[in-house]
């Protein structure tokens, strides 16, 4: 899930497009008239495409609006990734857990 309209190109350039079951990006969001974050529309559409109830899904986000979108979508877990020294703000916006690196979750 990315809001970028260049998402497909980036994934192809990295050689990982084939590893994804579904892709929601700026192109799909525009085509389907999905509202941007902090509205949960793109996350909810992704969960639907994966046939996963939001309550059984997780959102991993480094942006405050993205964390708020995950919380508004009632996802089972909202993980805030603190890349900008804003751990407290990520928690205030609805993160269940805040990590500075995703490796901390292993």
């Amino acid at each position: 899930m990315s809001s970028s309209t260049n998402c497909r190109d980036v994934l192809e350039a990295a050689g990982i497009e084939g590893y994804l079951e579904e892709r929601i990006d700026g192109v799909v969001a525009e085509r389907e008239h999905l509202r941007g974050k902090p509205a949960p529309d793109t996350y909810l559409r992704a969960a639907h495409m994966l046939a996963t109830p939001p309550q059984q899904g997780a959102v991993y986000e480094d942006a405050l609006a993205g964390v708020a979108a995950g919380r508004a979508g009632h996802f089972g877990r909202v993980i805030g990734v603190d890349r900008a020294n804003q751990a407290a703000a990520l928690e205030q916006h609805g993160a269940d857990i805040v990590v500075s690196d995703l490796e901390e979750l292993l």
Side-chain angles (χ1 to χ4, degrees), residues 14-36:
I16 60 174
E17 171 74 9
Y19 292 103
L20 302 177
E21 293 179 43
E22 300 289 350
R23 179 180 38 82
I24 295 285
D25 60 12
V27 174
V28 174
E30 184 176 324
R31 181 179 67 231
E32 297 189 14
H33 307 288
L34 302 173
R35 294 176 298 161

Side-chain angles (χ1 to χ4, degrees), residues 5-20:
T5 57
N6 299 318
C7 180
R8 177 183 293 240
D9 295 337
V10 171
L11 294 170
E12 286 176 354
I16 60 174
E17 171 74 9
Y19 292 103
L20 302 177

